[in-house]
Amino acid sequence: MEHKIMKSTSKFLKTALLMTAFGFMASNAFSAGTITGTVDASNPKYKGDAVVYLLGVKGPVATKQAVVDQKSLVFVPHVTAVPVGSTVDFKNNDKVNHNIFSASAAKKFNLGTYNPGMSKPVTFDKPGAVNLLCNVHSEMSGWVVVTENQYAAVSEHDGKFTISNVPAGTYKITAWSEKLKATEGTVTVADGKTATVTVKLAK
Ligand SMILES: [Cu+2]
């Protein structure tokens, strides 16, 4: 019995130590702020699916593994934002074959025709907007927007966006839109604070 208590006490101590170590890291290495705001478009139709991103943030790029699906002859989501060096898995969850390709300067590729249930990966190694098209269905169009860092977000239908874990500093903020152009602004991020920004899109 005594032995059992000792064991659980030492387990508790280990956990406490781990938590302390993590808390230390969280308050030092990861100190950062948040940017939140709205995309304001001259045509409200284009408030959503804009990619808001920061320029000139120093530090390593955290790549990610994203998924773009094909369902009912539509790319889902319509717009995907990934940091440079990331891989996107292009799934086919449709009932028909698809053949995704891109002729965009940032990434030219052609995945060939592939069957329902299959998935093919593409790594995006250059920043820029990549237009996804399908050789089988001319009506299909989607976008992978490759940003120079991980500090980017795709706006919701109402234009809202949030970029988290931004290191403190002052940065240029702008956006990509399929139809409109953004003006460049600046944003200052302070540790533990949230900065609010409006990004304007117009023709
Ligand atoms: Cu298709």
Side-chain angles (χ1 to χ4, degrees):
M1 189 64 182
E2 213 167 283
H3 181 70
K4 214 175 177 183
I5 288 166
M6 282 287 289
K7 241 184 161 173
S8 84
T9 308
S10 109
K11 202 176 170 192
F12 170 79
L13 272 171
K14 266 187 201 159
T15 310
L17 275 169
L18 268 170
M19 283 172 78
T20 309
F22 185 74
F24 176 77
M25 278 163 68
S27 66
N28 288 277
F30 302 134
S31 61
T34 301
I35 300 170
T36 186
T38 312
V39 171
D40 188 11
S42 54
N43 182 341
K45 218 167 97 178
Y46 303 124
K47 279 182 173 189
D49 275 341
V51 178
V52 182
Y53 61 97
L54 302 184
L55 294 167
V57 187
K58 291 192 179 79
V61 177
T63 59
K64 67 177 181 188
Q65 187 96 17
V67 173
V68 172
D69 208 344
Q70 299 170 95
K71 281 180 193 162
S72 310
L73 312 189
V74 172
F75 288 109
V76 183
H78 181 60
V79 175
T80 302
V82 293
V84 68
S86 296
T87 299
V88 177
D89 289 314
F90 291 100
K91 285 193 188 173
N92 179 0
N93 266 322
D94 237 328
K95 291 184 176 67
V96 294
N97 292 352
H98 289 292
N99 180 353
I100 307 176
F101 74 98
S102 156
S104 300
K107 188 73 187 181
K108 289 185 171 64
F109 67 89
N110 190 331
L111 295 181
T113 306
Y114 60 106
N115 302 338
M118 281 180 72
S119 179
K120 288 191 177 187
V122 175
T123 299
F124 293 87
D125 37 27
K126 232 192 273 179
V130 178
N131 190 193
L132 308 170
L133 297 169
C134 176
N135 260 328
V136 187
H137 310 100
S138 59
E139 69 270 38
M140 288 179 71
S141 174
W143 295 89
V144 171
V145 178
V146 186
T147 52
E148 67 173 45
N149 56 55
Q150 62 272 35
Y151 306 106
V154 181
S155 60
E156 306 287 332
H157 292 296
D158 57 2
K160 295 239 160 60
F161 69 89
T162 300
I163 304 173
S164 308
N165 292 316
V166 183
T170 299
Y171 308 106
K172 280 183 181 153
I173 185 166
T174 188
W176 170 92
S177 155
E178 186 175 351
K179 302 281 183 191
L180 302 172
K181 286 189 177 77
T183 46
E184 216 172 76
T186 52
V187 59
T188 298
V189 180
D191 283 343
K193 297 270 164 60
T194 297
T196 307
V197 185
T198 301
V199 178
K200 288 201 167 132
L201 295 178
K203 272 208 169 146

